[in-house]
Amino acid sequence: MKRIVLPLVAATLVLAACGESGQSGPSERATSVTAEKASSRSVARTELSIGRLRANTSPSVSAETSGRIRVIHVDVGDRVEAGDLLAEIDSEVQQIAVSAARASVAQLQAQLENQKRRVQRLTRLAEQQSIAEDQLDDATTSIKTIEAQLDAAQAQLSDAEYNLEQAQIHSPVSGDVKKRLISTGDYVNDGQPVYELVSSQTLQAFLPLPEHVQEALEVGQTVYLSVPARPDEEVEAKISEIDPTVGDGSRAIEVIVDLDNPGRWRAGGSVTGKVVLDEHQGLVVNPGSVVRRPSGTVVYEVDGQRAVERRVEIGLRGDGWIEIVDGLDEGALVVVDGAGFLSDGALIDVKENGEDA
């Protein structure tokens, strides 16, 4: 009988010890996290494109008078401003033409004055009936003839003075010299091209985009542009044209953006364009809040000292934010740092800037 009782007593003592051990086991530890509120902001669906810049104007400068090139002032690659002197034509012939035209004008002006005085004398004589009326009529008609000749001579003088001015070839725009088509000593004719310029005052950005976004594009949409030399400096512009054709090789469409040169952007260089396809108000959270789980995409909302798992549907992504389309309310406090270590109902210790929230 004693052999049976002793094992039972021993078993009872072991169970009691186990019960006491369970009551004094380790307590649940809180996970230290940070949290931010879900907020509403303007979000945009964008399409990124690497394109090229082209000069909006590439004028060809031509000689506007004939002669031999005497001096060349600029060469390929030089930067010029509107009105700068590019080259000079020997102007001896033009100067002679101006002198001759001025002499002709002066001669006709003298003839006109003499004829007017003669008409005045004949008018007085006609009043005294000392001459025939035909003489006065002929003298008056001569005045009109000389005036017409004077008008023609003055027009010829203006033309000669213009040709003399054009012996100095000036740049019509600000830009860069792309080609020099003349050399010192060359004889050029009126209308002969002498320089090709590239104006960088106004530019066009040509941006290829995937064919599937064609329906979302329209003239006037916002585009943010930057160049490799200054990637942090964005220029806001609008779509000016949409090329309706699709490239045979790339299967891409092309949008054209007109813009004023914001600085030292150069025609022929590359440009990065961010085309805004759609813009609306959306609920956003910090990207660190969004966690992938087997059940789907979740965020953890702070509920007192516990993390409540919320399954969400995400939308657009941007720099420092992710749009939440469904599953969360505006103003909800969600875990950021530490979210990946949590599960539904986990005990949390919310910190803010290293201190207790």
Side-chain angles (χ1 to χ4, degrees):
M1 190 68 179
K2 290 180 181 179
R3 291 180 182 176
I4 296 173
V5 172
L6 288 174
L8 289 174
V9 172
T12 302
L13 292 174
V14 169
L15 290 173
C18 289
E20 291 174 1
S21 176
Q23 291 175 358
S24 61
S27 59
E28 183 181 4
R29 296 183 61 184
T31 301
S32 181
V33 299
T34 64
E36 294 180 7
K37 288 185 178 181
S39 60
S40 177
R41 58 160 289 171
S42 176
V43 298
R45 181 166 69 97
T46 61
E47 188 71 34
L48 195 65
S49 173
I50 305 296
R52 66 193 187 282
L53 291 171
R54 184 185 297 174
N56 207 3
T57 55
S58 300
S60 175
V61 182
S62 299
E64 296 192 42
T65 189
S66 300
R68 199 169 299 280
I69 298 297
R70 187 172 66 87
V71 183
I72 288 177
H73 291 281
V74 297
D75 210 337
V76 175
D78 288 347
R79 175 76 181 177
V80 296
E81 300 297 329
D84 282 357
L85 186 60
L86 305 179
E88 294 181 61
I89 297 173
D90 189 336
S91 61
E92 183 178 358
V93 173
Q94 287 78 10
Q95 288 173 344
I96 292 172
V98 168
S99 297
R102 285 174 178 169
S104 179
V105 167
Q107 182 181 11
L108 288 168
Q109 285 175 335
Q111 290 180 7
L112 182 60
E113 291 301 319
N114 288 335
Q115 191 64 21
K116 286 181 177 179
R117 286 194 292 269
R118 182 169 180 265
V119 167
Q120 288 175 352
R121 289 195 303 270
L122 292 175
T123 300
R124 288 195 296 270
L125 292 173
E127 290 173 352
Q128 299 170 5
Q129 297 182 347
S130 299
I131 62 168
E133 290 290 335
D134 290 346
Q135 285 183 277
L136 179 59
D137 291 340
D138 290 342
T140 303
T141 301
S142 295
I143 288 180
K144 294 180 180 178
T145 302
I146 296 172
E147 286 176 338
Q149 292 173 344
L150 180 59
D151 287 342
Q154 286 173 332
Q156 190 173 3
L157 174 59
S158 297
D159 187 57
E161 290 174 336
Y162 175 81
N163 287 333
L164 179 59
E165 291 175 358
Q166 299 313 306
Q168 292 190 329
I169 303 173
H170 295 271
S171 174
V173 297
S174 297
D176 300 299
V177 178
K178 182 180 179 182
K179 287 184 180 180
R180 175 171 62 84
L181 306 174
I182 52 172
S183 299
T184 303
D186 285 351
Y187 189 88
V188 294
N189 293 307
D190 183 9
Q192 179 179 332
V194 292
Y195 281 98
E196 288 185 12
L197 305 179
V198 176
S199 173
S200 297
Q201 289 179 310
T202 58
L203 298 169
Q204 286 185 317
F206 290 79
L207 303 172
L209 293 169
E211 183 182 1
H212 67 81
V213 304
Q214 184 172 6
E215 295 301 321
L217 294 173
E218 60 183 29
V219 172
Q221 281 177 310
T222 300
V223 182
Y224 296 97
L225 302 169
S226 62
V227 294
R230 300 177 180 85
D232 296 330
E233 296 180 9
E234 281 192 334
V235 173
E236 182 177 339
K238 304 291 183 182
I239 293 178
S240 306
E241 300 176 47
I242 300 174
D243 189 338
T245 59
V246 178
D248 293 335
S250 62
R251 307 307 300 169
I253 59 175
E254 198 167 50
V255 298
I256 303 170
V257 181
D258 293 331
L259 69 148
D260 293 328
N261 194 334
R264 294 290 293 174
W265 290 21
R266 289 189 173 272
S270 60
V271 62
T272 300
K274 187 167 62 176
V275 182
V276 179
L277 303 177
D278 173 57
E279 193 167 8
H280 59 271
Q281 284 296 118
L283 183 66
V284 301
V285 297
N286 190 296
S289 300
V290 180
V291 182
R292 296 282 186 178
R293 295 289 187 232
S295 60
T297 303
V298 303
V299 298
Y300 289 95
E301 183 177 356
V302 176
D303 184 8
Q305 293 183 315
R306 298 287 174 177
V308 178
E309 186 175 281
R310 305 291 189 196
R311 186 170 178 177
V312 295
E313 180 182 346
I314 64 174
L316 301 177
R317 296 173 182 264
D319 186 14
W321 55 266
I322 293 181
E323 181 187 16
I324 303 297
V325 177
D326 189 34
L328 194 67
D329 295 328
E330 183 176 354
L333 187 63
V334 295
V335 175
V336 181
D337 295 327
F341 302 103
L342 301 179
S343 59
D344 189 27
L347 184 65
I348 55 175
D349 179 17
V350 181
K351 305 284 187 181
E352 184 176 352
N353 297 326
E355 302 294 336
D356 290 339

